[in-house]
Amino acid sequence: MDSRFAVFFFIMGGLDGYLNECPTDCFGESTAPERWHLQYGETYFQEEITGDEFYLSYDLPHYISAVQPTIGASVTDTSDIWIGAGAKWSTERISDGPVYLELSLMPGLYLQGDGEDLGFPMQFRGSLSAGYHFDNGASLSVVFDHRSNANTSSLNPGLETLGLRLSWQTQ
């Protein structure tokens, strides 16, 4: 796995949690915006475009410290499937503006269809996105993510997606 996503996720989520949550309850739960996300993007393998991917995810309606639990699933036009669960951190916790950055880290299961051999079914999906929240609760973001097996197999080539994500709150 491209460890930069994991490092940034743990630094930002940990620092936010330490500074803003630990004075009262380091691992306490609080209310978060419940959201659905629909993403379309192009997949890249070895820096070559290999196809298209649709990705659906759901953010649970609470934070645990500074991170929000999330689940997701994607399918490519070559019938590859990825299903996972993890957490995300967003600058919306520390800024009231409409522009935001978001980091996520999600371990998951990769089921190879006619697409690329990623070496092992367990794939960690790390992402970085930048977006804009609209007044109606929707948001639009550009997302880059990387999937790999974090060297749990001798074959660990990785797969990237660059896409657009439309999100909406359910509350």
Side-chain angles (χ1 to χ4, degrees):
M1 178 177 157
D2 186 334
S3 60
R4 290 174 287 199
F5 286 120
V7 169
F8 291 146
F9 175 81
F10 285 114
I11 288 173
M12 297 309 295
L15 186 61
D16 182 8
Y18 177 75
L19 293 175
N20 296 309
E21 303 301 325
C22 283
T24 56
D25 185 4
C26 280
F27 297 103
E29 287 191 31
S30 59
T31 303
E34 180 180 18
R35 289 192 181 101
W36 283 96
H37 309 275
L38 183 59
Q39 177 180 314
Y40 167 78
E42 291 184 328
T43 56
Y44 294 79
F45 183 75
Q46 307 296 321
E47 300 182 13
E48 298 289 326
I49 296 173
T50 59
D52 301 316
E53 177 186 56
F54 289 96
Y55 179 63
L56 180 67
S57 62
Y58 170 71
D59 298 343
L60 280 69
H62 62 275
Y63 293 111
I64 299 172
S65 186
V67 298
Q68 185 172 14
T70 187
I71 58 175
S74 70
V75 62
T76 66
D77 60 350
T78 55
S79 302
D80 302 324
I81 297 172
W82 179 89
I83 301 168
K88 62 175 48 175
W89 174 85
S90 175
T91 58
E92 72 182 356
R93 282 188 35 86
I94 57 176
S95 172
D96 290 333
V99 176
Y100 65 95
L101 294 176
E102 188 174 86
L103 294 164
S104 71
L105 184 59
M106 300 173 66
L109 180 64
Y110 174 73
L111 304 168
Q112 182 182 353
D114 295 328
E116 309 306 329
D117 181 4
L118 299 183
F120 196 69
M122 173 65 91
Q123 294 289 311
F124 295 87
R125 187 173 192 146
S127 73
L128 170 65
S129 65
Y132 185 86
H133 289 297
F134 297 99
D135 291 337
N136 64 1
S139 60
L140 185 63
S141 57
V142 175
V143 181
F144 175 76
D145 73 37
H146 173 80
R147 275 163 281 179
S148 75
N149 62 46
N151 293 316
T152 56
S153 169
S154 59
L155 179 62
N156 184 28
L159 182 71
E160 285 79 31
T161 303
L162 179 61
L164 286 175
R165 178 183 293 164
L166 176 62
S167 306
W168 61 95
Q169 288 186 12
T170 60
Q171 313 179 38

